[in-house]
Amino acid sequence: MQTPLPSPVPVLRLPRGPEGLSRGFAPDGRRALLKPEVPGTPESPVVHECQESQEQRARALLRERYLRSLLAMVGRQVSFTLHEGVHVTAHFGATDVEVANFYVLQLQTPIGVQAEALLRCSDIIAYTFKL
Amino acid sequence: MAMRQTPLTCSGHTRPVVDLAFSGITPYGYFLISACKDGKPMLRQGDTGDWIGTFLGHKGAVWGATLNKDATKAATAAADFTAKVWDAVSGDELMTLAHKHIVKSVDFTQDSNYLLTAGQDKLLRIYDLNKPEAEPKEISGHTSGIKKALWCSEDKQILSADDKTVRLWDHATMTEVKSLSFNMSVSSMEYIPEGEILVITYGRSIAFHSAVSLELIKSFETPATINSASLHPEKEFLVAGGEDFKLYKYDYNSGEELESYKGHFGPIHCVRFSPDGELYASGSEDGTLRLWQTVVGKTYGLWKCVLPEEDSGELAKPKISFPETTEEELEEIASENSDSIYSSTPEVKA
């Protein structure tokens, strides 16, 4: 039987390239928030945005940072603080789309080590990991 | 069923890409800087390859580029006899450091307080970035132009490579501690802090040395002259590229060649793994940067599993197993989606 030709991995889109002659580094880009706000400087004109879109941008930024923090956590040892003073540690694998469950490996519980487990996020009070 | 690697091509440069570097992992993801003979180094989002900005200012080919750990600063080394330090958020030039010849290599310390530069003037220079007007400390000793200089051992030592030697220097005393000699030209050097490993390429060899003692750990031979190699953060794989335009992937432990990929239209000058090991980037004489998946078929960055839409008749639906876990195991532990990857009709140009 002939081996079927492997299909190429699908991609969402191609990487974005430079925009014309612009040098980029969008002033309203997300990382621009790293720069401390200095009111009235000639380089950064004050932009009047409606409250709602400012809030929406902040929310989007925080959401992206959280998702990136989850990405950074993959494969790392994480300590979870659960209800009733229970502490467990495990290697983080993945989360589902609603962040309702965490798929973890080598979950160390007071009653033994579980090779694979799903932690219900509603049971988690806090978690920490080292980058 | 195995999937075929879809490299992501990052266009924008107009001349050969000679160096590239990733930042560390930051709250905004990680970033990639590319050095190009067109004199215009570019900053890109590391996991997608999306262009963010171009550092404008150099008047000659840029031979080396690097980012500091949190990607707030960039440094570039150029043929215009300068090294420049940039604000990597705004793209503004912060400092121009004049040298007496072509500068080839730049490297920040972990705390971004010092910049190490090296080049054709055969000197290593250490600039205090908090005192830009102060003269840099200079270390001499190399007898040919320096191609690469890197901080190592928590910035207490410096590793530098010229044409035929690799030298280890003590930062505090500014003296040479050890050196290695090669009878072939050293093409590249990479330092891995975790495990203190030094990856050196020369001729068709990829050699791994201890960064502390410079002793040889192991070496591999490849089918072609290799210009650059990179070791995966978990030290499972290494990737290498060179004069035959192909990218090679090896198992680090066994030395077995796992894969080779065609794609570039010119020799590959630089290869680097991302800080999370999920992809590697290659820069070529053909003026492009390409991003390659470490685990082919995994959902990451722009490589996505496409969920089947009811109305979209184009999507083919062969079920493909997630590389590490079998379909059956996934069904047991997943609550809803089975994590199958569906392939679409291949429209993307590799």
Side-chain angles (χ1 to χ4, degrees), chain A residues 4-19 21-26 30-35 61 64-65 68-69 71-72 74 76 96-98 101 103 116 118 131, chain B residues 2-4 6 8-9 11-12 27-29 31 42-45 47-56 71 87-92 293 296-297 302-304 333 342-344 346 348:
Chain A
L5 186 71
S7 45
V9 177
V11 291
L12 267 188
R13 56 169 174 83
L14 294 179
R16 292 187 197 111
E19 288 145 20
L21 297 168
S22 159
R23 72 160 191 156
F25 299 102
R30 34 156 127 190
R31 289 214 301 162
L33 293 175
L34 277 179
K35 307 209 100 191
L61 201 77
E64 187 182 335
R65 280 183 70 158
R68 288 197 183 277
S69 79
L71 274 174
V74 173
R76 308 229 181 231
D96 57 10
V97 78
E98 290 107 25
N101 297 291
Y103 165 59
E116 289 173 296
L118 274 186
L131 258 180
Chain B
M3 296 208 84
R4 214 161 17 110
T6 305
L8 294 168
T9 303
S11 55
Y28 302 92
F31 299 85
M42 291 186 177
L43 184 72
R44 295 176 185 273
Q45 190 70 40
D47 59 346
T48 58
D50 288 337
W51 174 81
I52 295 174
T54 305
F55 298 101
L56 297 173
D87 178 322
V89 180
S90 65
D92 294 333
Q293 284 192 286
V296 179
L302 293 176
W303 294 285
K304 275 312 214 207
I333 47 183
Y342 296 87
S343 77
S344 64
V348 180

Side-chain angles (χ1 to χ4, degrees), chain B residues 98-130:
Chain B
H99 289 62
K100 302 219 164 52
H101 209 310
I102 296 169
V103 194
K104 285 291 195 82
S105 173
V106 272
D107 196 29
F108 287 101
T109 49
Q110 292 289 309
D111 58 14
S112 307
N113 284 329
Y114 295 93
L115 185 73
L116 175 67
T117 70
Q120 297 290 81
D121 62 4
K122 307 175 196 160
L123 293 171
L124 291 164
R125 285 174 188 213
I126 300 166
Y127 288 86
D128 182 338
L129 297 177
N130 299 310

Side-chain angles (χ1 to χ4, degrees), chain B residues 163-189:
Chain B
D163 194 40
K164 298 264 174 49
T165 69
V166 168
R167 298 176 199 229
L168 182 65
W169 312 80
D170 179 75
H171 179 192
T173 60
M174 314 249 291
T175 53
E176 187 178 308
V177 171
K178 263 199 164 88
S179 79
L180 282 171
S181 289
F182 298 88
N183 46 21
M184 302 188 77
S185 190
V186 174
S187 45
S188 80
M189 195 167 74

Side-chain angles (χ1 to χ4, degrees), chain B residues 55-106:
Chain B
F55 298 101
L56 297 173
H58 274 299
K59 297 186 178 69
V62 176
W63 286 103
T66 191
L67 292 166
N68 67 351
K69 202 155 102 175
D70 60 4
T72 51
K73 290 205 173 79
T76 51
D80 61 6
F81 292 16
T82 70
K84 287 182 191 277
V85 180
W86 313 77
D87 178 322
V89 180
S90 65
D92 294 333
E93 188 184 310
L94 294 172
M95 270 176 244
T96 296
L97 308 166
H99 289 62
K100 302 219 164 52
H101 209 310
I102 296 169
V103 194
K104 285 291 195 82
S105 173
V106 272

Side-chain angles (χ1 to χ4, degrees), chain B residues 8-20:
Chain B
L8 294 168
T9 303
C10 307
S11 55
H13 284 303
T14 53
R15 300 266 338 269
V17 176
V18 291
D19 193 22
L20 64 92

